[in-house]
């Protein structure tokens, strides 16, 4: 009886952990198969603007504050205000645009899947086969 | 009938222009900063106080991707309650350039641009990004009567190559550029030629920066090579303008000038520390050296026989959370050429801000400016400021 309880608890915790994970996703045409936090930070800081094959990177971000965005920002080691300042500096210097904001995981997947060179992030459990997963963050 | 036709044509053109702006993807954005300031000046015969409300600055910016490789950017700056009917403030084309984007490693900008020099030069007018209301000494244009920024930093260039090179765990930023001699371009030596705003000399400005980034640590070294005109209206404080000092300074002629800059910034645990040093050195010909030795005599001690200058600032910012921050800053400026700044000026500043949204910053600041040698130049100013900076 105790063993069943333990296994049930373990399964609940494992499912919870999986739901809490955030996946960094990219358009299927992106030529790299994995990435790390430092590289993703450079992309979201807009200091890396192209993939290794020269394709322009199109960055998507989740507009509203929430657990997925918070986990992703923690993963890249940036606070919302730091990123906003970085994006504002890039835009006000004429060097680029702030990432396009999306409203939900579903919209993020749809945008990344339909935009060549795109990168974004969603709750790991919501990843579909339309996009490529580059990294997973807890 | 003609008037109706004209109005109709105008309307059609305006409507088409509007449609063009949307269809062709012109981005229009910008920022402005409105402020209240209370200034109290003290010194021998100088004691006075005033306060004013002021739209310090508004920038309207336009950007457009012309193709995957080319983009264009324009920044129009209106300052100090700009009103052409009343002759207030100024309208300035701050930047207008086209960029060729080869890769992350190689980009070219051509046109009027703000060149890369240290960290602060490119963002000095971008008020929503700055914690300050009054910026460190040389960057603060309202202090232009006392300090001319163009003596210390290259304000414009016309061509720049730049990029980011990966080097293992660090990234190397580089930029090289060319532009006109400053301040006020050399052509003003011969004002009768009526070529203000142009550089009629055979010399040009060349400069660059190389920097290293690793995580939140950024360090860079900058330099420029050009010629300055000590007789320019912008080379001496405004209260010297129109005096015989100009004639004397102008007789020195174009002088070879090297600026050296060092910048560093680091972020940790909510703290950001950043600082810069700028040194301005001059290389004179033998005849210029001989003449310069006579300058103190010719100007009754108002000018010295050394053109070199230097300034630095250090700022510590603490972000309490996403909304609130505070900071303290110290800046020093020294100009060996003129008597007022020969011993230098100190600038202490403390302040803070509140960001109710990502696009609005409410700021408060106290700044003190004080001549180090109060016997030679008895001047001090306390300035209390409140401001709201909006990005749109």
């Amino acid at each position: 009886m105790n063993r069943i309880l333990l296994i049930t608890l373990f399964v609940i915790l494992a499912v919870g952990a999986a739901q809490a994970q955030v996946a960094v996703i990219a358009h299927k045409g992106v030529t790299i198969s994995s990435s790390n936090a430092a590289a993703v930070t450079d992309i979201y800081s807009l200091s890396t603007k192209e993939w290794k094959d020269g394709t322009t990177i199109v960055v998507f971000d989740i507009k509203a504050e929430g657990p997925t965005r918070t986990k992703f920002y923690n993963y890249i080691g940036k606070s919302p205000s730091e990123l906003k300042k970085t994006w504002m500096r890039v835009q006000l210097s004429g060097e680029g645009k702030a990432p396009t904001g999306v409203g939900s995981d579903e919209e993020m997947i749809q945008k990344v899947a339909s935009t060549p060179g795109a990168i974004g992030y969603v709750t790991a459990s919501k990843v579909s086969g339309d996009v490529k997963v580059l990294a997973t963050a807890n | 009938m003609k008037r109706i036709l004209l109005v109709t044509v105008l309307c059609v053109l305006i409507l088409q222009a509007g449609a063009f702006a949307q269809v062709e993807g012109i981005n229009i954005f910008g920022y402005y900063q409105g402020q209240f300031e209370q200034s109290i000046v003290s010194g021998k015969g100088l004691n006075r106080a005033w306060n004013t409300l002021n739209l310090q600055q508004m920038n309207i910016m336009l950007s457009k991707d012309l193709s995957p490789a080319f983009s264009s950017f324009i920044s129009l700056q209106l300052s100090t309650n700009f009103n052409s009917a009343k002759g207030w403030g100024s309208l300035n084309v701050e930047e207008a350039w086209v960029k060729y984007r080869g890769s992350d490693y190689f980009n070219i900008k051509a046109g009027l641009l703000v060149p890369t020099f240290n960290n602060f030069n490119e963002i000095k007018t971008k008020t929503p990004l700055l914690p300050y209301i009054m910026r460190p000494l040389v960057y603060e244009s309202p202090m232009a009567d006392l300090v001319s920024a163009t003596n210390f930093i290259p304000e414009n260039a016309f061509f720049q190559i730049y990029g980011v090179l990966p080097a293992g765990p660090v990234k190397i930023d580089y930029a090289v550029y060319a532009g006109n001699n400053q301040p006020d371009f050399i052509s003003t030596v011969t004002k009768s030629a009526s070529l203000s705003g142009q550089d009629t000399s055979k010399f040009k400005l060349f400069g660059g920066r190389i920097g290293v980034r690793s995580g939140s640590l950024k360090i860079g070294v900058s330099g420029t090579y050009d010629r300055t005109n000590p007789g320019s209206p912008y080379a001496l404080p405004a209260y010297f303008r129109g005096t015989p000092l100009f004639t004397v300074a102008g007789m020195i002629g174009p002088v070879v000038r090297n600026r050296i800059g060092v910048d560093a910034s680091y972020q940790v645990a909510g703290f950001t520390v950043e600082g810069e040093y700028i040194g301005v050195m001059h290389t004179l010909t033998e005849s210029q050296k001989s003449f310069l030795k006579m300058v103190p005599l010719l100007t009754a001690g108002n000018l010295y026989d050394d053109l070199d200058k230097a300034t630095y600032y250090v700022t510590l910012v603490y972000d309490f959370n996403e909304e609130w921050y505070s900071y303290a800053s110290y800046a020093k400026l020294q100009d060996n050429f003129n008597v007022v700044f020969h011993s230098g000026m100190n600038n202490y500043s403390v302040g803070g801000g509140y960001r109710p949204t990502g696009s609005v910053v409410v700021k408060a600041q106290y700044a003190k400016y004080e001549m180090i040698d109060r016997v030679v130049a008895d001047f001090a100013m306390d300035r209390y400021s409140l401001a709201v900076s909006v990005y749109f």
Side-chain angles (χ1 to χ4, degrees):
Chain A
M1 184 62 188
N2 275 351
R3 189 176 291 175
I4 293 169
L5 199 65
L6 200 67
I7 290 169
T8 309
L9 195 65
F10 179 76
V11 169
I12 289 168
L13 286 174
V15 168
Q19 280 179 341
Q21 282 189 323
V22 173
V24 180
I25 58 171
H27 184 266
K28 278 198 151 180
V30 168
T31 50
I32 62 164
S33 55
S34 67
S35 192
N36 58 38
V40 177
T41 304
D42 284 342
I43 290 171
Y44 271 82
S45 300
L46 307 180
S47 65
T48 298
K49 292 175 182 164
E50 61 188 24
W51 298 108
K52 282 182 179 166
D53 65 355
T55 310
T56 302
I57 302 175
V58 182
V59 184
F60 288 97
D61 185 47
I62 292 176
K63 274 186 225 167
E65 203 176 315
T68 305
R69 198 180 81 167
T70 304
K71 281 200 174 69
F72 175 73
Y73 284 8
N74 288 340
Y75 171 65
I76 62 172
K78 297 280 181 188
S79 69
S81 63
E82 271 181 90
L83 279 175
K84 273 180 196 160
K85 261 200 256 181
T86 303
W87 297 340
M88 202 188 286
R89 177 173 181 152
V90 169
Q91 176 142 6
L92 295 181
S93 304
E95 293 293 340
K97 291 176 208 159
T100 306
V102 299
S104 64
D105 282 348
E106 290 73 22
E107 190 187 354
M108 177 70 89
I109 290 170
Q110 187 260 319
K111 289 278 187 193
V112 171
S114 61
T115 311
I119 187 170
Y121 60 90
V122 291
T123 307
S125 60
K126 300 209 174 156
V127 172
S128 74
D130 298 333
V131 293
K132 177 186 273 191
V133 176
L134 298 182
T136 308
N138 287 313
Chain B
M1 183 63 188
K2 271 185 182 172
R3 188 174 293 174
I4 294 169
L5 196 67
L6 196 69
V7 170
T8 309
V9 169
L10 202 63
C11 287
V12 168
L13 284 173
I14 288 169
L15 285 172
Q16 279 190 339
F20 180 80
Q22 287 174 350
V23 172
E24 295 298 321
I26 296 176
N27 296 304
I28 302 171
F29 51 96
Y31 57 90
Y32 58 87
Q33 181 163 295
Q35 69 181 54
F36 167 79
E37 64 187 49
Q38 163 89 29
S39 301
I40 302 163
V41 171
S42 58
K44 206 178 293 173
L46 289 173
N47 294 316
R48 63 182 188 276
W50 70 93
N51 58 57
T52 183
L53 292 154
N54 184 14
L55 183 66
Q56 186 187 19
Q57 188 182 317
M58 180 168 80
N59 276 54
I60 298 169
M61 297 167 155
L62 301 97
S63 73
K64 185 181 179 186
D65 291 331
L66 305 171
S67 76
F70 286 92
S71 61
S72 182
F73 178 71
I74 291 170
S75 174
L76 301 172
Q77 185 177 88
L78 299 93
S79 60
T80 331
N81 297 331
F82 176 72
N83 183 329
S84 62
K86 293 178 177 170
W88 294 345
S90 60
L91 168 61
N92 169 35
V93 180
E94 189 183 36
E95 294 190 75
W97 45 256
V98 63
K99 174 181 164 183
Y100 168 72
R101 180 179 160 68
S103 68
D104 284 346
Y105 319 133
F106 182 79
N107 301 279
I108 300 174
K109 275 186 204 172
L112 182 65
L113 56 97
V114 179
T116 307
F117 185 86
N118 281 354
N119 175 54
F120 203 73
N121 191 38
E122 285 173 290
I123 59 165
K124 63 182 180 293
T125 64
K126 297 173 177 38
T127 56
L129 291 172
L130 310 179
Y132 320 100
I133 301 171
M134 300 298 288
R135 292 155 280 201
L137 278 170
V138 296
Y139 293 104
E140 189 49 61
S141 54
M143 293 292 287
D145 279 358
L146 296 172
V147 182
S148 184
T150 52
N151 284 319
F152 291 87
I153 49 174
E155 292 198 301
N156 308 117
F158 290 83
F159 183 79
Q160 178 165 294
I161 297 172
Y162 62 105
V164 184
L165 305 170
V170 303
K171 292 207 163 194
I172 297 173
D173 301 296
Y174 78 91
V176 290
Y177 48 84
N180 285 333
N181 297 283
Q182 293 171 359
D184 204 21
F185 303 150
I186 292 291
S187 63
T188 51
V189 169
T190 54
K191 253 193 159 43
S192 57
S194 300
L195 288 170
S196 54
Q198 296 184 47
D199 185 351
T200 53
S201 74
K202 60 184 177 183
F203 323 110
K204 287 291 164 280
L205 162 87
F206 298 99
R209 177 182 181 271
I210 188 149
V212 178
R213 271 187 280 158
S214 177
S216 60
L217 175 68
K218 293 180 192 169
I219 299 171
V221 179
S222 305
T224 68
Y225 170 85
D226 70 346
R227 280 167 172 75
T228 184
N229 172 14
S232 155
Y234 295 99
L236 290 169
Y239 47 81
F240 283 162
R241 289 174 199 166
T243 70
L245 292 183
F246 273 125
T247 314
V248 174
M251 286 163 71
I252 300 170
V255 176
V256 173
R257 169 176 62 185
N258 290 288
R259 299 185 187 99
I260 296 291
V262 179
D263 65 278
S265 68
Y266 183 61
Q267 288 177 309
V268 63
F271 288 95
T272 302
V273 62
E274 63 175 49
E276 286 189 3
Y277 167 83
I278 302 169
V280 188
M281 283 116 354
H282 301 79
T283 308
L284 291 96
T285 62
E286 287 307 316
S287 61
Q288 285 174 329
K289 278 181 194 168
S290 305
F291 180 78
L292 206 55
K293 278 180 188 161
M294 295 189 293
V295 162
L297 281 174
L298 290 169
T299 62
N302 280 306
L303 295 180
Y304 290 114
D305 57 355
D306 184 357
L307 297 174
D308 293 355
K309 313 168 203 313
T311 186
Y312 65 86
Y313 79 85
V314 181
T315 300
L316 179 67
V317 183
Y318 182 68
D319 287 292
F320 295 100
N321 51 40
E322 289 299 310
E323 288 86 29
W324 294 93
Y325 70 88
S326 69
Y327 69 89
S329 182
Y330 170 70
K332 186 186 173 187
L333 182 145
Q334 187 164 356
D335 182 346
N336 294 346
F337 189 42
N338 79 69
V339 66
V340 179
F341 286 98
H342 193 264
S343 298
M345 181 186 232
N346 282 328
N347 169 208
Y348 308 93
S349 181
V350 291
Y354 171 64
R355 302 182 193 97
T357 76
S359 305
V360 178
V361 193
V362 181
K363 305 175 185 179
Q365 181 179 21
Y366 163 71
K368 184 172 189 69
Y369 304 84
E370 188 172 37
M371 292 300 175
I372 292 170
D373 187 344
R374 295 291 294 271
V375 176
V376 173
D378 191 14
F379 172 87
M381 180 166 74
D382 297 281
R383 183 169 272 183
Y384 303 86
S385 314
L386 291 169
V388 61
S389 197
V390 178
Y391 165 65
F392 59 89

